[in-house]
Amino acid sequence: MAMAVFKAPLKGEFNGVRKIEGKQYKHHLLQQQSSGRRRVFVQTETGCVLGVELDRNDNVHTVKKRLQVALNLPTEESSLTFGDMVLKNDLSAVRNDSPLLLKRNLMHRSSSTPCLSPTGNDLQRKDLSGPIEILSHSYCFLSLKQTANEIVMAMKMGVEPIPVNGGLGGAYYFRNEMGQSVAIVKPTDEEPFAPNNPKGFTGKTLGQPGLKPSVRVGETGYREVAAYLLDYDHFANVPPTALVKITHFVFNVNDGMDRNKSREKKKLVSSKIASFQKFVPHDFDASDHGTSSFPVSSVHRIGILDIRILNTDRHGGNLLVKKLDDGAAGRFGQVELIPIDHGLCLPETLEDPYFEWIHWPQASIPFSEEELDYIQNLDPVKDCEMLRRELPMIREACLRVLVLCTFFLKEAVAFGLCLAEIGEMMTREFRAGEEEPSELELVCIEAKRLTVRQDVLSPKSDLEADTVFEFDLDYNDMDMVYNDELLVKNPFSSGHPSLGKLEESIVEEEEDEEEARLTLPLTKLSTSLKNHSLSNNMGSGFLKPPRVKTEKTLVSHKSANVQLPASANFVKLAEMKEVEWVMFLEKFQELLDSAFAERKTMTLRNRQRLGTSCKF
């Protein structure tokens, strides 16, 4: 599998030893904008990457024609997608160096189809782009550009990457001229279940539900970058991470369903879309030693990030520990924590998170003034704007989760909750083998019920009734077009022209089941709402609502507390219309004080979390 670059390529920042920095970046971008030329990287469902030069007059039809020539395969029954958007014909929304996905339509897809490769002539064509292309010209990634240059120089000297043996997906340590690991690269098509996974975990194409149903195969790399971008001022110590197009023969390419053939092949150069993270030297990870000596501030800062991004996979193995001194005999010295592996954060729906730090004594220590100031200054609206700018392919459903969790964090901290209490409110409970909604999800369910009731009682315009925000995991045809001229202005709107549904997923629930899901799992919250007033908002600035009375539910409906899959979806944020989403956020914020008061009461009853043997 080679990478074909159509027409004359733009000069990449890693051709030879040339670097484009500072003001040169602006000049470089202005030249591209004035000429109307852009380069995009089209990835097929099976992992092949093709670089395509776009002129001002190019459209989806002409791009698909070029891909048809390179892949030697009809593309009429395929769709070109950019995050949530299905590109109909206009390419104006696609920025330079953006990754696009070429997807076959539902009736023409097979997970057993071998990787589409360019034709023989294309295999002879020289790859004129650089061996490492960072898919952004933002200043955020300047430090990684130097790292990439070091790797390119080492590759020219014959220093090869080293595959990582651990984990479920493909990952590679790239080294500098001295043989030192300086970056870890994770190709998107080698993730668990992806078509080119080197460890046998295959069976799906890019864009389908993955290890977590709300995190699609091939999209964990975007989340790795998002976690780095959201870690403002390096607050939680996330290593610099970027999305790249990278070319090397070390990468794995499976031959259809017979993985053994990939091992027998000669070294073939292949291009991949991958996450590219700076390697941080460390001594061990948090699972190797006791955690009681870890700095309180480090645990708090990582926990704050995990809550914002709803991290579903924070365990000791992805917290690196670096010694800062030797310490006294028999005791740890000062250590630094480095959080990695954020590919399962920002799910498209409210998932059950996993925060291992919940059980650490540091999480029960109150936040410091510095941490409180940091949380107070968080702005989820600006967060979304930044991610749309730096990662335009990120899905709007992920941004809704970010907004909700950030609001939840800010209000919980204003109410006086500690990190452990906030994490526990977001985590589901298992009782007698049954999964129950978390306290956060119960608030969301009640907020949605109140939103639906208010929506039914309120007159709607035809525009409101017809405008639907579609980007959930109900994979049907992507024909719904989003109209952003709403009667109620939404600060979280992206302005994307269309947001679609994807193929091959969960069958839509019947209306009566949906109603039951909204009304029944409120037993725990009902008690809280009846016993605590919602009028005290702790100076948060939100509108003070009237006292809420929860109606009695119908026992004939199916309860949401019955046995459900591990990733059960108790409430869908993505299915709400834009106006409904704004109303939902208002109701959600109104209900929070009551839920926080209930959690404080529970904490007082179980006040023996923190032992006396721990020294910080």
Side-chain angles (χ1 to χ4, degrees):
M1 181 178 68
M3 173 174 165
V5 179
F6 300 98
K7 302 183 182 179
L10 296 173
K11 296 296 183 182
E13 55 267 35
F14 303 117
N15 284 336
V17 295
R18 181 186 177 197
K19 292 191 295 183
I20 303 175
E21 296 183 358
K23 294 181 179 180
Q24 289 177 282
Y25 264 122
K26 292 183 179 180
H27 179 69
H28 180 66
L29 295 176
L30 288 174
Q31 280 186 324
Q32 290 181 337
Q33 293 171 1
S34 61
S35 65
R37 296 175 62 194
R38 290 163 291 163
R39 178 180 53 194
V40 296
F41 296 98
V42 182
Q43 187 177 33
T44 69
E45 291 176 308
T46 49
C48 296
V49 179
L50 300 164
V52 181
E53 281 284 329
L54 299 180
D55 286 333
R56 188 186 301 275
N57 297 325
D58 280 334
N59 54 37
V60 170
H61 179 71
T62 58
V63 170
K64 288 169 70 173
K65 283 293 185 183
R66 295 182 202 166
L67 294 172
Q68 181 172 331
V69 173
L71 299 175
N72 195 27
L73 188 78
T75 57
E76 290 83 0
E77 300 299 332
S78 298
S79 299
L80 202 60
T81 65
F82 181 46
D84 285 314
M85 292 186 290
V86 175
L87 301 171
K88 298 299 183 182
N89 201 43
D90 183 24
L91 293 174
S92 60
V94 179
R95 290 165 44 181
N96 186 52
D97 286 346
S98 294
L100 308 181
L101 181 63
L102 181 68
K103 302 178 55 179
R104 284 165 293 167
N105 295 336
L106 180 61
M107 298 303 294
H108 299 268
R109 173 185 288 176
S110 171
S111 61
S112 63
T113 304
C115 184
L116 303 176
S117 299
T119 60
N121 291 336
D122 288 305
L123 291 173
Q124 303 300 321
R125 186 175 302 185
K126 183 179 179 181
D127 183 359
L128 297 178
S129 67
I132 303 177
E133 301 278 354
I134 293 182
L135 305 188
S136 173
H137 292 282
S138 171
Y139 296 109
C140 303
F141 308 113
L142 283 177
S143 65
L144 288 174
K145 294 180 183 297
Q146 179 59 40
T147 302
N149 279 316
E150 294 177 15
I151 293 173
V152 171
M153 295 301 294
M155 289 164 56
K156 292 179 178 179
M157 297 178 63
V159 180
E160 298 182 2
I162 301 174
V164 178
N165 293 325
L168 301 178
Y172 305 86
Y173 291 121
F174 277 71
R175 301 182 289 170
N176 61 16
E177 297 177 45
M178 296 178 289
Q180 300 169 330
S181 296
V182 293
I184 182 167
V185 173
K186 300 178 183 178
T188 58
D189 66 328
E190 296 186 27
E191 296 175 7
F193 301 140
N196 290 318
N197 181 277
K199 298 171 183 177
F201 302 104
T202 58
K204 295 189 177 182
T205 55
L206 301 184
Q208 290 184 292
L211 202 59
K212 294 277 185 178
S214 58
V215 177
R216 308 181 196 221
V217 174
E219 297 188 5
T220 63
Y222 305 163
R223 290 166 166 83
E224 295 261 19
V225 180
Y228 166 64
L229 292 172
L230 289 169
D231 186 23
Y232 299 121
D233 302 324
H234 212 49
F235 188 72
N237 213 18
V238 178
T241 312
L243 201 66
V244 300
K245 188 283 301 176
I246 185 166
T247 303
H248 203 279
F249 59 76
V250 73
F251 297 129
N252 186 70
V253 179
N254 293 328
D255 190 355
M257 298 301 290
D258 187 356
R259 290 184 60 254
N260 292 327
K261 291 185 179 180
S262 65
R263 305 298 185 193
E264 299 168 0
K265 291 184 300 184
K266 296 181 179 179
K267 292 181 177 180
L268 294 178
V269 173
S270 59
S271 295
K272 305 270 186 163
I273 301 296
S275 65
F276 181 90
Q277 185 172 84
K278 189 172 184 177
F279 177 80
V280 179
H282 56 280
D283 297 287
F284 46 84
D285 63 54
S287 65
D288 293 332
H289 293 273
T291 60
S292 62
S293 65
F294 294 161
V296 175
S297 61
S298 295
V299 175
H300 282 190
R301 291 174 177 223
I302 292 169
I304 290 168
L305 176 66
D306 286 342
I307 288 170
R308 292 169 61 201
I309 62 180
L310 193 64
N311 195 345
T312 65
D313 190 37
R314 171 63 72 215
H315 55 82
N318 54 38
L319 282 175
L320 306 181
V321 182
K322 182 179 182 179
K323 293 182 180 180
L324 300 180
D325 58 48
D326 294 333
R331 289 189 56 188
F332 278 124
Q334 295 294 315
V335 298
E336 177 185 12
L337 297 182
I338 302 103
I340 59 170
D341 292 346
H342 297 100
L344 295 179
C345 72
L346 293 176
E348 294 185 43
T349 62
L350 284 180
E351 284 268 7
D352 184 26
Y354 182 74
F355 305 139
E356 186 166 318
W357 43 255
I358 279 182
H359 310 292
W360 298 356
Q362 296 92 327
S364 294
I365 300 295
F367 289 109
S368 67
E369 289 299 322
E370 182 182 3
E371 292 159 357
L372 292 174
D373 290 342
Y374 184 88
I375 295 170
Q376 183 179 8
N377 290 327
L378 292 174
D379 187 337
V381 178
K382 291 184 178 178
D383 290 346
C384 293
E385 292 172 352
M386 180 274 295
L387 288 180
R388 292 188 189 106
R389 182 175 64 252
E390 301 295 342
L391 288 173
M393 73 293 295
I394 195 167
R395 298 183 184 275
E396 289 295 311
C398 305
L399 298 183
R400 284 193 173 184
V401 170
L402 173 65
V403 168
L404 187 77
C405 291
T406 304
F407 278 158
F408 184 75
L409 170 67
K410 290 169 70 70
E411 292 303 295
V413 168
F415 196 87
L417 269 61
C418 68
L419 180 63
E421 292 171 319
I422 300 171
E424 288 168 351
M425 290 189 71
M426 301 175 73
T427 304
R428 296 176 184 173
E429 294 184 5
F430 290 83
R431 297 179 179 175
E434 296 183 351
E435 184 178 21
E436 296 185 357
S438 66
E439 294 168 61
L440 169 62
E441 289 173 306
L442 287 172
V443 174
C444 290
I445 293 168
E446 175 68 357
K448 188 169 184 181
R449 188 185 69 83
L450 294 173
T451 300
V452 171
R453 183 165 65 178
Q454 178 173 330
D455 193 48
V456 170
L457 297 176
S458 302
K460 300 180 185 177
S461 69
D462 293 337
L463 176 60
E464 290 179 359
D466 294 337
T467 304
V468 180
F469 210 46
E470 299 281 3
F471 46 82
D472 58 4
L473 291 169
D474 291 331
Y475 308 136
N476 291 328
D477 292 335
M478 302 173 76
D479 295 327
M480 190 63 68
V481 176
Y482 170 58
N483 188 336
D484 60 358
E485 297 178 356
L486 298 175
L487 297 181
V488 178
K489 180 175 176 59
N490 176 23
F492 314 117
S493 173
S494 69
H496 284 191
S498 68
L499 296 164
K501 298 181 176 182
L502 302 182
E503 310 92 10
E504 294 183 29
S505 185
I506 310 161
V507 178
E508 293 233 352
E509 297 174 321
E510 297 294 333
E511 291 185 3
D512 56 345
E513 293 181 356
E514 172 68 10
E515 181 182 356
R517 187 165 56 80
L518 290 175
T519 58
L520 255 185
L522 304 176
T523 308
K524 287 168 57 180
L525 186 62
S526 300
T527 305
S528 173
L529 296 177
K530 291 176 182 177
N531 294 336
H532 299 280
S533 172
L534 295 175
S535 60
N536 181 14
N537 283 306
M538 303 296 290
S540 63
F542 297 121
L543 294 176
K544 296 182 179 181
R547 188 183 300 272
V548 177
K549 295 182 179 179
T550 305
E551 297 179 353
K552 196 172 183 179
T553 57
L554 300 176
V555 296
S556 59
H557 286 291
K558 181 180 178 182
S559 172
N561 292 332
V562 299
Q563 181 68 45
L564 291 169
S567 56
N569 187 2
F570 291 108
V571 59
K572 294 181 179 179
L573 302 177
E575 67 182 4
M576 286 182 272
K577 302 174 185 177
E578 190 73 356
V579 176
E580 186 182 4
W581 167 241
V582 176
M583 275 196 288
F584 166 83
L585 286 177
E586 294 175 355
K587 299 300 180 185
F588 173 77
Q589 293 160 0
E590 291 168 1
L591 293 169
L592 286 178
D593 276 3
S594 178
F596 294 152
E598 177 71 11
R599 166 50 61 173
K600 270 296 184 186
T601 301
M602 293 172 58
T603 302
L604 290 175
R605 294 195 200 108
N606 306 288
R607 200 56 183 171
Q608 298 180 355
R609 284 186 53 88
L610 184 60
T612 59
S613 62
C614 297
K615 185 176 181 180
F616 299 100

